Amino acid sequence: MNYPSRLIEDAVNEIAKLPGIGKKTALRLALHLLKRDEEQTRALSDALLSMRTQTQFCRQCHNIADGELCAICSSTKRDASLICVVVDTRDVLAIENTSQYHGHYHVLGGIISPLEGIGPADLHIESLVRRLQQASEQEPVREIILALSPTMEGDTTAFYLQKKLKPTGVKVSTIARGIPIGGDLEYADEITLGRSIVSRVAYD
Amino acid sequence: MNYPSRLIEDAVNEIAKLPGIGKKTALRLALHLLKRDEEQTRALSDALLSMRTQTQFCRQCHNIADGELCAICSSTKRDASLICVVVDTRDVLAIENTSQYHGHYHVLGGIISPLEGIGPADLHIESLVRRLQQASEQEPVREIILALSPTMEGDTTAFYLQKKLKPTGVKVSTIARGIPIGGDLEYADEITLGRSIVSRVAYD
C-alpha cells in the first residue's frame, strides 16, 4: 500500500507489530489518532513508555508488581503454603477474578514450546525450585497447583514440572479438566468427556 | 478488573480508548509489549507521537501530506480537471489501489451526521467551493465525482454537496451503485438490485 506520508507509514508499521493487528487496522487506528486531540496520542505514547520502562516484577513470584514484592506476595491474608503455577499475569488476573483461590502464585513467564524455541531454561522454573527449598526452612509449602492450559505445550510443561518438583517432596496437583459449567454433554469433545468420566468426583 | 500495577492500568486505559479495542485486548497488547524489548515500545511510542505532532495536511485537498501539498496535488501526471470527493484518507488509499482514477481528490474530513453533531461547517466544503472558483481562472475543473458511501449520512452529504456545487456550473457525478463484482443476484438486497436496473449500462 502507498501511504500518504512517511510518518503515517512508520506509525502503521509499529502498530502492526502488535499481535492480532494487521496493516489495515493499524491504519484505521493511526487515522483515528490524527483526528483526535494531540493530548490523547501524547497520553497513550507516555503510558506505553512508562509501563515498559518502569514496570517491576515481583522477586518472589515474577508477577507484575508496583514494588519489590507484588500485592499478593506481600499480603498477610494470603495462604503462603499454596502456590499456583501459571503462564502469565493474565492467568493470575483470571484466577483472582474467580475469588476462589487465596494462596500465592508463581508466574512462569511462558510455556515450554520447542517449535518457538522456548525451553525450561527460559522460564522461571529454577526460581520455583529455589522458592520451595527456602520455604521449607521458614514455613512449609503444602501444595503446588499447576494451572496450565490443557494443550500440547501446557501438558509438556506440566510433565516437566512434575519431574522437577518430585525431589522436593511437595504435593503437586493440577486444575480439574472436564465439562465446562453450562456446557452441553452432546457438544463436548470425546477427550474432554472421557477425562471427565475418569476424573469423576464422588458426592460427599 | 484489578490490575497488578497502576502503570499497567494506565496503559490499558489509554489503549482501550482506541476504536474497536476493549479492556481485555488492551491488556493483552500491554503484556505483549512488556515481554518484548524496550526498544519496540520506544519505537511505537515515538512513531505515534511524531505522526500526531508532525503530520501535515495538503492545503489544497486536505489529504495527509509530507509537505504543503500532497503527492497527488503536486504531481504533474494527474488530471487536475477531475476532483473526487471522499470522506477521509482511507478512501483515497482505497481508490488509489484500484489504479482506475488519475484525477485529484478533495478530502471532506467527515460526513454530515446530525446524530453525531457533525454539520456542513465541520467539513472541508467551503474550501472545495473556493477551489472550484479559483480553478476556473487558471485551468477549469470538468467534473466533481462524489465517492461517498451509500448510507443515510453519505446520501445526505451528497445531496448537500450537489446543491452547494450547482451555482459553480461544474458537472457533478457519483460513483456507480450496483451489484458488486462476484456478487450473487439472489443474495443482493432489493434496493441495490433495483438501483442496478434503473442505472443499467448499454453495451457499446
Side-chain angles (χ1 to χ4, degrees):
Chain A
M1 203 184 280
N2 288 316
Y3 294 102
S5 87
R6 195 190 46 74
L7 292 163
I8 306 279
E9 187 169 357
D10 288 350
V12 167
N13 286 339
E14 289 301 329
I15 300 172
K17 281 183 191 165
L18 295 171
I21 296 187
K23 296 257 165 151
K24 271 207 163 174
T25 306
L27 179 61
R28 191 164 56 84
L29 298 179
L31 294 178
H32 171 86
L33 287 176
L34 267 187
K35 271 193 192 170
R36 296 304 166 105
D37 282 350
E38 195 176 305
E39 213 30 68
Q40 184 179 338
T41 307
R42 207 175 282 278
L44 171 62
S45 173
D46 289 351
L48 290 179
L49 202 58
S50 308
M51 176 197 75
R52 185 62 191 83
T53 53
Q54 292 169 35
T55 291
Q56 291 177 285
F57 293 90
C58 175
R59 66 173 161 75
Q60 181 160 273
C61 75
H62 309 287
N63 192 9
I64 289 162
D66 264 331
E68 270 224 331
L69 279 179
C70 73
I72 294 169
C73 284
S74 54
S75 164
T76 53
K77 288 182 185 159
R78 311 284 303 213
D79 183 355
S81 72
L82 277 177
I83 296 177
C84 180
V85 177
V86 294
V87 169
D88 65 18
T89 300
R90 272 188 294 164
D91 297 333
V92 173
L93 291 175
I95 295 174
E96 284 299 291
N97 274 340
T98 68
S99 309
Q100 296 291 316
Y101 179 69
H102 304 286
H104 282 199
Y105 289 94
H106 193 86
V107 178
L108 292 177
I111 200 153
I112 296 176
S113 170
L115 278 177
E116 292 181 43
I118 302 170
D122 301 314
L123 310 179
H124 299 301
I125 293 178
E126 276 308 319
S127 72
L128 175 62
V129 175
R130 253 201 325 276
R131 200 173 154 186
L132 292 181
Q133 286 161 350
Q134 287 167 355
S136 55
E137 294 156 20
Q138 302 152 15
E139 40 179 347
V141 172
R142 276 189 299 130
E143 187 175 347
I144 303 281
I145 304 165
L146 304 182
L148 304 169
S149 298
T151 57
M152 175 85 91
E153 287 86 3
D155 287 345
T156 307
T157 310
F159 185 73
Y160 181 86
L161 283 171
Q162 260 174 285
K163 290 204 120 186
K164 194 82 186 172
L165 297 175
K166 201 150 202 184
T168 64
V170 179
K171 178 181 168 189
V172 180
S173 64
T174 176
I175 52 169
R177 280 80 162 84
I179 308 295
I181 312 298
D184 200 324
L185 272 202
E186 204 181 333
Y187 297 112
D189 64 292
E190 56 257 54
I191 297 173
T192 302
L193 191 53
R195 277 223 205 179
S196 79
I197 292 172
V198 171
S199 317
R200 63 193 175 278
V201 180
Y203 287 112
D204 298 324
Chain B
M1 202 186 278
N2 287 315
Y3 294 101
S5 88
R6 196 190 46 75
L7 292 163
I8 305 278
E9 188 170 357
D10 288 350
V12 167
N13 286 339
E14 288 300 331
I15 299 173
K17 281 183 190 164
L18 295 171
I21 297 187
K23 295 258 167 155
K24 271 208 162 173
T25 305
L27 179 62
R28 191 164 54 84
L29 297 179
L31 294 179
H32 171 86
L33 286 176
L34 268 187
K35 271 194 192 170
R36 296 304 165 105
D37 282 351
E38 195 175 304
E39 212 30 68
Q40 184 178 339
T41 308
R42 206 175 283 279
L44 171 62
S45 173
D46 288 351
L48 291 178
L49 201 58
S50 308
M51 177 197 74
R52 185 62 192 82
T53 54
Q54 291 169 34
T55 291
Q56 290 177 284
F57 293 90
C58 175
R59 67 172 161 75
Q60 181 162 272
C61 75
H62 309 287
N63 191 10
I64 289 162
D66 264 332
E68 270 225 330
L69 280 178
C70 72
I72 294 169
C73 284
S74 55
S75 164
T76 53
K77 289 182 185 160
R78 312 283 305 211
D79 183 355
S81 71
L82 277 177
I83 295 177
C84 181
V85 177
V86 294
V87 169
D88 66 19
T89 299
R90 272 188 293 163
D91 298 333
V92 174
L93 291 176
I95 295 174
E96 284 298 290
N97 274 341
T98 68
S99 309
Q100 297 291 316
Y101 180 70
H102 305 286
H104 282 198
Y105 289 94
H106 192 86
V107 178
L108 292 176
I111 201 152
I112 296 176
S113 171
L115 279 177
E116 293 181 41
I118 302 171
D122 300 314
L123 309 179
H124 299 303
I125 293 178
E126 277 309 320
S127 73
L128 175 62
V129 176
R130 253 201 326 277
R131 201 173 153 185
L132 291 181
Q133 287 161 348
Q134 287 167 355
S136 54
E137 295 157 16
Q138 302 152 16
E139 40 179 347
V141 170
R142 277 190 297 129
E143 187 175 348
I144 303 281
I145 304 165
L146 304 183
L148 304 169
S149 298
T151 57
M152 175 85 90
E153 287 86 3
D155 287 344
T156 308
T157 309
F159 184 72
Y160 181 86
L161 284 171
Q162 260 175 286
K163 290 205 123 186
K164 194 83 185 169
L165 296 174
K166 203 154 200 180
T168 65
V170 179
K171 178 182 169 190
V172 180
S173 62
T174 175
I175 52 169
R177 281 80 164 85
I179 308 295
I181 312 298
D184 201 323
L185 274 202
E186 203 180 336
Y187 297 113
D189 65 293
E190 56 256 54
I191 297 173
T192 302
L193 191 54
R195 277 223 207 180
S196 79
I197 292 172
V198 172
S199 317
R200 64 194 174 278
V201 179
Y203 286 114
D204 298 323

